Amino acid sequence: MPETTVNYPVTTPPNPRVESFKNVLKRLKKNKAAVVGGFLILFFVVVSIIGPFFTPFDPSEQNHVNKLAGPSAEHWFGTDHHGRDIFSRIIHGMSITLYIGFFSVLIGAVIGVLFGIVSGYFGGKMDAIIMRIMDVLLAFPGILLALGIVSVLGGSLNNVIISVGIFSVPAFARIVRGSTLSVRKLEYIDAVRALGASHFRIIFRHVLPNVMSPIIVQATLRMATAVLTASGLSFLGLGAQPPTPEWGAMLSDGRNYMWDAGHVAFFPGIAIVVVVLAFNIFGDGLRDALDPKMKS
């Protein structure tokens, strides 16, 4: 009898990383507040990119004839004490605010993660030295430390980014150190080390990918702190300099007209509140979604 060949379907095993990402996304979707925060952040990013090309007025154009005008069909958010359109300035200032937040958090994350992972992996005297430096930085309130740094460097947009980035370093370093201490005790790390892998390979190939979850959550939450701190520095006159349409500086200008033209301070203040709230609620939802205890 002729032999018959049976072809069984070949099934590809699911990628663990893809499945893990799907599970995180599924849990994140269940958190309605986090979804709203995520959409708001996406909206802010899109507006900061394309919004400046469609604003009705030049953010620096002065019109003293129409100064301190209230909200109207022509000027949606009114005008400031120089007659500049507040809506156009807020749209242009959104890109500045997100620019400060992103790059200051990036600086803090890169330096903090490097210090934290080296401290947690090697331990000993190196761990003690790095953590004592972080303790010194943590001894100062965040806004006070940033204020001291930017006072030394001088008031400018780039110096604000540097100062906020430096005061963000200890938070990343301590979180990454704690996660690294747990990961380095796992058996597969000992196996990789026994096979002759270098410290560099172990750290960046095996340890770092396993501590990314707390880094991502901390970066998201830190964005809100960075935006708030940068706005505070600009409010004190140590951040973006006039006529840059930075929200903190706009809020500082509007405080002199709180009773006569409250809209001058109201709209920049609301913009800061909404952005900070969006990053906070999205970061909280992301933290819950990435929590290993919630995995099924």
Side-chain angles (χ1 to χ4, degrees):
M1 295 179 62
E3 295 182 358
T4 58
T5 303
V6 179
N7 294 323
Y8 294 98
V10 179
T11 58
T12 304
N15 189 323
R17 292 185 178 180
V18 174
E19 292 299 317
S20 177
F21 175 77
K22 289 181 178 179
N23 291 333
V24 170
L25 192 61
K26 186 184 299 183
R27 287 195 295 271
L28 188 61
K29 288 181 178 179
K30 294 179 180 179
N31 191 325
K32 303 301 181 184
V35 172
V36 172
F39 276 114
L40 282 175
I41 293 171
L42 182 61
F43 172 75
F44 295 144
V45 172
V46 172
V47 170
S48 68
I49 295 173
I50 66 175
F53 297 102
F54 299 98
T55 50
F57 297 94
D58 186 331
S60 300
E61 181 183 357
Q62 299 184 9
N63 182 7
H64 292 284
V65 177
N66 197 30
K67 64 180 181 180
L68 298 178
S72 62
E74 184 181 6
H75 300 283
W76 293 358
F77 291 173
T79 61
D80 64 5
H81 57 295
H82 289 301
R84 297 172 296 194
D85 183 63
I86 295 178
F87 176 75
S88 299
R89 288 177 63 78
I90 286 179
I91 296 299
H92 280 264
M94 189 174 295
S95 58
I96 297 174
T97 298
L98 294 182
Y99 169 79
I100 293 173
F102 176 78
F103 281 100
S104 60
V105 170
L106 181 63
I107 291 172
V110 170
I111 299 175
V113 168
L114 181 62
F115 281 160
I117 205 167
V118 169
S119 176
Y121 181 80
F122 291 103
K125 292 184 179 179
M126 186 174 295
D127 178 30
I129 293 172
I130 293 175
M131 285 300 103
R132 295 301 75 76
I133 295 174
M134 296 301 109
D135 289 341
V136 171
L137 294 177
L138 284 172
F140 298 92
I143 183 66
L144 184 60
L145 179 60
L147 183 62
I149 295 172
V150 79
S151 298
V152 173
L153 298 178
S156 71
L157 203 61
N158 291 330
N159 289 342
V160 167
I161 293 174
I162 294 172
S163 63
V164 176
I166 291 175
F167 104 78
S168 299
V169 168
F172 283 99
R174 293 183 70 87
I175 289 174
V176 173
R177 175 184 177 270
S179 300
T180 303
L181 288 174
S182 300
V183 172
R184 75 170 186 175
K185 297 177 182 179
L186 299 178
E187 294 181 355
Y188 83 95
I189 296 294
D190 295 332
V192 172
R193 188 182 293 112
L195 292 173
S198 64
H199 293 308
F200 183 87
R201 180 177 177 81
I202 294 174
I203 290 174
F204 290 97
R205 182 69 178 84
H206 300 284
V207 177
L208 184 58
N210 286 283
V211 299
M212 283 303 296
S213 294
I215 294 174
I216 294 172
V217 173
Q218 178 63 21
T220 306
L221 294 171
R222 207 67 186 176
M223 277 287 294
T225 306
V227 169
L228 200 58
T229 304
S231 298
L233 293 175
S234 295
F235 181 85
L236 296 173
L238 295 173
Q241 301 301 308
T244 306
E246 202 277 332
W247 293 348
M250 293 173 63
L251 190 61
S252 179
D253 291 337
R255 63 180 170 171
N256 298 320
Y257 308 97
M258 288 289 293
W259 302 110
D260 299 326
H263 65 276
V264 179
F266 176 77
F267 289 108
I270 285 296
I272 295 172
V273 169
V274 173
V275 169
V276 171
L277 183 63
F279 278 106
N280 271 328
I281 61 178
F282 180 72
D284 286 338
L286 192 61
R287 178 178 55 195
D288 294 339
L290 292 171
D291 189 353
K293 297 178 181 178
M294 299 184 65
K295 292 181 180 180
S296 57

